[in-house]
Amino acid sequence: MTPDDRRAAIIAATVPLLREKGRAASTREIASAAGIAEGTIFRVFDNKDALIDACVHDAFDTSALVAELAGVDRALPVPERLAAAVAVMQRHLREIFALMSVLQSTGQQVRHPSGSEAFRRRHEATAELDAAFVDLLGADAARLRVPASTFIGYLRMLTLSSVHPMLDGDASTPEQLVDVLLEGALTRGGAAAATTAAAT
């Protein structure tokens, strides 16, 4: 196993333990989950804090998310296609919020990457994610009344707010979010009635 593969394997084994126990997860438990000797952890990471920081960084990585979006069936009608993608996004975001919440509740100071390089990586990750959604829209993007990038921005904001622990949006399903954004919140025929009322 290459050093990079070993590092990735340790992180993959650690993240579920952190979601369950936060900082209380011991290096012995981590080593057992990874199927390695405890000392191997410290040949890859300087200390436990460095391992936790690496896990947080990995949780925010969107490369696996982009790959999963690429696997959504393009033959589905656009509402179902987008709902499947929103479900993927919701799961990814819930996993991040769960990890951060448990870590903070168990006394871990969560350090977010900062500086120009971190900003550049976040910007690139957002652009890749938006591009994946635009690709998912495909030719249906021509049916939108707004640019595809604007539509995706709205969808991203709705998706984030639907799972944010402080915004109480858990009742919103992917299908509901997509329907409101694609079709609007008025009842069918409501748009014409609203236009008539405004004219009157």
Side-chain angles (χ1 to χ4, degrees):
M1 184 178 288
T2 68
D4 285 346
D5 288 342
R6 174 68 72 191
R7 177 185 175 87
I10 293 172
I11 290 173
T14 304
V15 169
L17 284 171
L18 292 180
R19 287 199 186 103
E20 179 186 353
K21 298 185 174 184
R23 185 174 174 77
S26 70
T27 52
R28 180 175 296 179
E29 290 174 313
I30 292 168
S32 176
I36 58 175
E38 189 173 2
T40 303
I41 294 173
F42 301 107
R43 288 199 290 272
V44 180
F45 299 95
D46 291 340
N47 49 48
K48 185 177 173 182
D49 284 342
L51 171 56
I52 293 175
D53 286 346
C55 289
V56 171
H57 181 274
D58 187 74
F60 279 91
D61 182 72
T62 58
S63 55
L65 178 61
V66 169
E68 196 169 354
L69 291 174
V72 173
D73 186 358
R74 266 50 177 180
L76 291 171
V78 66
E80 295 176 31
R81 212 183 313 149
L82 289 173
V86 168
V88 170
M89 279 288 297
Q90 284 182 325
R91 184 175 70 250
H92 173 74
L93 291 167
R94 285 191 181 105
E95 288 174 351
I96 290 175
F97 288 134
L99 176 63
M100 303 299 278
S101 176
V102 174
L103 284 175
Q104 289 172 347
S105 69
T106 55
Q108 176 69 29
Q109 182 181 0
V110 180
R111 292 179 286 274
H112 297 278
S114 59
S116 59
E117 179 62 18
F119 174 81
R120 183 189 63 79
R121 288 199 302 267
R122 284 195 299 270
H123 180 76
E124 288 178 352
T126 300
E128 288 175 2
L129 196 56
D130 285 358
F133 269 94
V134 171
D135 181 70
L136 193 63
L137 279 169
D140 288 299
R143 299 168 56 196
L144 299 173
R145 292 189 297 110
V146 296
S149 58
T150 300
F151 175 83
I152 296 305
Y154 292 154
L155 186 60
R156 179 164 18 93
M157 288 187 289
L158 280 176
T159 303
L160 175 62
S161 64
S162 74
V163 296
H164 196 291
M166 296 184 68
L167 297 179
D168 196 25
D170 260 352
S172 302
T173 67
E175 292 77 14
Q176 289 170 332
L177 295 179
V178 170
D179 181 66
V180 165
L181 193 53
L182 282 177
E183 305 293 343
L186 292 174
T187 58
R188 303 299 180 261
T195 301
T196 301
T200 301

